[in-house]
Amino acid sequence: MRSVLRSVPPLTGRLRTAVVAGPFLAVTVAFAGIYAAVSGRLPDPLATHFRYSGQADGFTSVQGFLTESLALFLLLGAVVGFFVQVRPDAPEVPWVIAGGYALAGSTGYVVCVTLLSNADAADVSAIRVPQWEVYLSLAVALCAGALGRLLVGAAPAAPRRPRGAVSRLDLPAAATAGWSRTIGSPPLAVLGGLLLVGGLLIGLFADWIASAGLLFGAAVSLPLASVRVTVDRRGLTLAPALLSSRCRFRRIPLDRIEEAGSRHIACFAEFGGWGYRIRAGRSGFVLRSGEGIVVRLTNGREFVVTVDDAATAAALLNTYTDRARSR
């Protein structure tokens, strides 16, 4: 597949906008067409939620289901479009568009199947959706995502800085210094907030057990949305900005550091996504593509973190590492 992608030039301008919006417009048209075909045969309310066994256990009015479905398509399309417009040249943009295709395909399939399952139903409580429909929706999502990735073409080439020599900070022997920056992910903060609000609403008005998954997702997403990176005489520390300084994601002491440097880091090309990532021979905390600290550990592995002013942090870390060795 990589050879196919390399042969397709990256999309730009209006053509990319059309590709981004295409799947959401397609599922909206398909949904409207199916509704027009079966509107006279639909009960009111509709069975819109089903247990794992396929038995209907949730019901919504026809008008409410139409409004919610169209609003969902609009929201998903707006979120994907926002990500693409904010950083149009980021190397992860093609995968964001592919994810939009997968979301559009899966959600469109689900709402269309829901309409067709309700058509001509005399008793909505007796409606059943077979389990194979769930697996088929996953297959539709994978196929749609692959199509989107092919249509968007090759990822834009990210400018890379030469690694160069590892630098040191000119710090007097008796002096100490510290360096700290906060890295944030607005999309992750929005996601965590939505999960938290959704979990609280479901817990208050329905069932706390049903909201446990959403609340757990919020508890994981919100601390990761803003992280403080610190370099001092103790080494490199990553701690959530929203929690106490005693809560740390990772601390690398000086005796485990061989040397530190800085370079451009591509999230998807190198680590396959955002967050705390683990790969063969390396790991890292990456919330975006761009400048980052690269720490080579004494065991031969690498640890990276994307943050602004990474060169200064790496230089200070090397200075403290040299001091620790000299002792």
Side-chain angles (χ1 to χ4, degrees):
M1 183 176 177
R2 288 187 177 180
S3 60
V4 175
L5 293 177
R6 288 173 183 171
S7 64
V8 181
L11 295 178
T12 57
R14 295 181 179 179
L15 184 57
R16 181 168 58 182
T17 301
V19 169
V20 172
F24 301 99
L25 293 176
V27 296
T28 301
V29 171
F31 178 68
I34 292 176
Y35 173 73
V38 301
S39 59
R41 300 150 47 198
L42 292 175
D44 196 353
L46 302 174
T48 55
H49 189 271
F50 303 88
R51 301 173 185 168
Y52 182 74
S53 61
Q55 183 67 43
D57 65 348
F59 309 92
T60 307
S61 67
V62 174
Q63 186 61 43
F65 180 69
L66 292 176
T67 302
E68 292 171 2
S69 299
L70 294 176
L72 179 61
F73 297 151
L74 179 61
L75 176 62
L76 292 176
V79 170
V80 174
F82 173 77
F83 285 165
V84 174
Q85 291 298 324
V86 167
R87 301 196 66 195
D89 297 325
E92 57 264 27
V93 161
W95 296 104
V96 172
I97 296 175
Y101 270 71
L103 284 173
S106 60
T107 54
Y109 181 84
V110 168
V111 296
C112 290
V113 166
T114 300
L115 281 181
L116 294 174
S117 299
N118 279 271
D120 300 321
D123 182 8
V124 292
S125 61
I127 295 176
R128 297 181 65 89
V129 173
Q131 292 183 6
W132 58 263
E133 293 281 8
V134 177
Y135 303 112
L136 190 55
S137 69
L138 296 177
V140 170
L142 290 175
C143 293
L147 174 63
R149 185 63 186 87
L150 288 173
L151 288 177
V152 77
R160 289 184 174 271
R161 298 181 181 179
R163 182 183 292 272
V166 176
S167 60
R168 266 72 177 168
L169 197 66
D170 186 13
L171 192 66
T176 59
W179 177 96
S180 184
R181 291 288 187 279
T182 299
I183 54 175
S185 173
L188 201 57
V190 172
L191 174 62
L194 291 175
L195 290 174
L196 179 61
V197 172
L200 291 176
L201 290 176
I202 292 176
L204 290 173
F205 296 103
D207 184 7
W208 286 106
I209 296 178
S211 68
L214 295 177
L215 294 176
F216 176 77
V220 173
S221 302
L222 288 175
L224 293 174
S226 182
V227 175
R228 178 163 289 277
V229 183
T230 303
V231 173
D232 55 22
R233 56 187 177 82
R234 292 170 294 185
L236 175 67
T237 304
L238 276 69
L242 299 178
L243 301 178
S244 168
S245 59
R246 296 182 179 180
C247 300
R248 296 186 292 268
F249 289 134
R250 182 77 187 268
R251 169 171 283 176
I252 304 178
L254 296 175
D255 58 2
R256 292 190 55 206
I257 297 175
E258 185 68 29
E259 66 178 10
S262 63
R263 64 175 173 83
H264 185 279
I265 296 169
C267 287
F268 276 80
E270 298 185 45
F271 292 95
W274 300 298
Y276 194 97
R277 317 296 292 185
I278 298 176
R279 289 291 184 269
R282 56 182 174 168
S283 59
F285 186 78
V286 290
L287 291 182
R288 57 169 173 76
S289 294
E291 185 180 9
I293 306 170
V294 182
V295 179
R296 186 158 59 87
L297 306 178
T298 54
N299 60 6
R301 293 178 60 87
E302 274 190 355
F303 180 80
V304 308
V305 54
T306 51
V307 65
D308 294 332
D309 195 26
T312 303
L316 180 60
L317 201 54
N318 286 326
T319 299
Y320 277 127
T321 303
D322 291 344
R323 286 185 182 182
R325 289 199 190 99
S326 66
R327 297 194 189 101

